[in-house]
């Protein structure tokens, strides 16, 4: 990262300070680029230093991200970056399946030439990042594709809801997925093709297929119990006899 940090900005820019909204946006971008590891502790002092602002400014941003579940606040420990469980990932993807197929069906009906150009441009830069092997940028762009669709829908509530769900999905991908982006190659472009063709059913089916694919990547139907501190402590408390082979 050389002269960049999680904010992605040079030290010269950082010295100018940021607003609360800019800090929130930069933190979301950092998560989209998979620069912030799930489960890690993050402090007001760290962020205040990085962004060149007072702790009260970063506190507002951290509180906002905590309200939408992106940061978790624990007594004594402070803030950690969310590490969604498989059960939480399942709930996120279920909500996205309820929303996003209908969203693209609706966009297909209302799309303008400018909307189509915007989507085509996005697919082109996604492909350029893939060709260049720029993994961080590709991960961010694949996440932003879904938000771009929400913006094109013109529904501000949809943008808010999908921003939250998309950021949390990115964190869940880091915790649970085998692949890097969670958005398989070519699926975005086939959704855009259906929107361009004016085929709402095809666009909705493409989005449902895509979200099902992401669900599979996240192994949300894996019924194996998830590791928890509570069960680990129980196991540790069981004593050394658990090491004895009885066969
Ligand atoms: Zn996607």
């Amino acid at each position: 990262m050389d002269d960049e940090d999680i904010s992605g900005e040079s030290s010269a820019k950082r010295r100018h300070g940021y607003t609360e909204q800019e800090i929130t946006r930069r933190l979301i971008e950092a998560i989209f680029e998979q620069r912030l590891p799930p489960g890690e502790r993050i402090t007001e002092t760290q962020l205040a230093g990085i962004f060149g602002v007072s702790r009260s400014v970063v506190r507002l941003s951290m509180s906002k991200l905590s309200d939408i579940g992106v940061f978790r606040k624990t007594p004594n420990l402070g803030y950690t970056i969310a590490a969604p469980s498989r059960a939480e990932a399942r709930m996120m993807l279920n909500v996205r399946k309820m929303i996003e197929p209908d969203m693209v069906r609706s966009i297909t009906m209302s799309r303008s030439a400018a909307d189509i150009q915007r989507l085509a441009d996005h697919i082109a830069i996604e492909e350029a990042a893939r060709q260049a092997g720029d993994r961080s940028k590709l991960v961010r762009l694949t996440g932003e594709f879904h938000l771009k669709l929400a913006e094109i829908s013109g529904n501000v509530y949809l943008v808010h809801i999908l921003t939250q769900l998309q950021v949390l999905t990115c964190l869940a991908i880091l915790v649970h997925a085998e692949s890097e982006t969670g958005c398989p190659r070519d699926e975005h472009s086939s959704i855009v093709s259906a929107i361009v063709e004016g085929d709402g059913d095809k666009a909705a089916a493409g989005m449902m297929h895509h979200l099902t694919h992401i669900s599979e990547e996240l192994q949300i139907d894996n019924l194996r119990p998830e590791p928890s501190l509570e069960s680990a402590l129980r196991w540790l408390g069981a004593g050394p006899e658990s090491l004895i082979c009885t066969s």
Side-chain angles (χ1 to χ4, degrees):
M1 290 199 288
D2 300 332
D3 61 339
E4 289 192 349
D5 55 23
I6 57 164
S7 74
E9 296 287 348
S10 70
S11 54
K13 173 79 187 289
R14 266 184 274 135
R15 277 196 290 274
H16 291 120
Y18 287 74
T19 65
E20 174 221 333
Q21 288 81 4
E22 285 169 339
I23 291 169
T24 305
R25 186 174 56 78
R26 296 301 290 154
L27 287 168
I28 287 174
E29 283 175 359
I31 291 170
F32 274 156
E33 294 212 357
Q34 299 189 338
R35 294 175 189 274
L36 284 173
E40 286 289 311
R41 183 166 178 258
I42 193 161
T43 67
E44 288 174 6
T45 308
Q46 275 174 324
L47 293 182
I50 287 166
F51 290 112
V53 296
S54 70
R55 286 173 56 184
S56 62
V57 176
V58 293
R59 193 175 301 136
L60 288 169
S61 172
M62 292 173 93
S63 168
K64 188 172 181 183
L65 289 169
S66 175
D67 286 345
I68 63 170
V70 173
F71 284 177
R72 304 251 159 107
K73 195 172 185 193
T74 319
N76 303 323
L77 193 60
Y79 288 102
T80 53
I81 298 150
S85 67
R86 207 174 280 122
E88 287 168 331
R90 186 184 305 122
M91 289 190 276
M92 287 169 213
L93 265 298
N94 282 346
V95 176
R96 293 186 59 179
K97 285 176 186 171
M98 291 173 201
I99 294 174
E100 293 187 65
D102 271 347
M103 174 178 77
V104 290
R105 191 195 306 278
S106 161
I107 289 171
T108 306
M109 299 307 131
S110 64
R111 77 210 189 291
S112 66
D115 295 336
I116 289 172
Q117 188 58 52
R118 226 176 135 194
L119 290 171
D121 290 347
H122 188 90
I123 295 295
I125 56 170
E126 254 188 39
E127 190 51 36
R130 190 175 280 112
Q131 295 294 333
D134 190 341
R135 181 179 164 277
S136 291
K137 189 173 179 186
L138 178 61
V139 174
R140 173 168 58 77
L141 290 169
T142 53
E144 286 177 353
F145 172 74
H146 294 261
L147 299 187
K148 197 145 278 183
L149 289 168
E151 284 168 14
I152 287 172
S153 79
N155 186 325
V156 68
Y157 300 105
L158 207 44
V159 174
H160 285 157
I161 291 166
L162 278 187
T163 299
Q164 176 186 17
L165 291 170
Q166 188 62 50
V167 173
L168 289 168
T169 304
C170 276
L171 290 168
I173 285 167
L174 272 176
V175 179
H176 301 289
E178 306 263 315
S179 82
E180 291 176 344
T181 68
C183 285
R185 189 175 189 164
D186 295 336
E187 293 187 359
H188 287 178
S189 57
S190 56
I191 293 165
V192 171
S193 298
I195 292 172
V196 173
E197 289 163 24
D199 189 337
D201 286 344
K202 191 173 166 188
M207 181 58 86
M208 185 58 92
H209 173 76
H210 180 52
L211 294 171
T212 301
H213 212 150
I214 296 173
S215 303
E216 286 166 3
E217 286 284 329
L218 288 170
Q219 303 181 60
I220 60 173
D221 294 322
N222 187 335
L223 298 176
R224 250 185 311 128
E226 298 188 56
S228 76
L229 183 59
E230 198 185 327
S231 68
L233 292 176
R234 259 201 316 273
W235 182 86
L236 287 167
E241 66 272 16
S242 42
L243 297 176
I244 297 168
C245 181
T246 53
S247 62

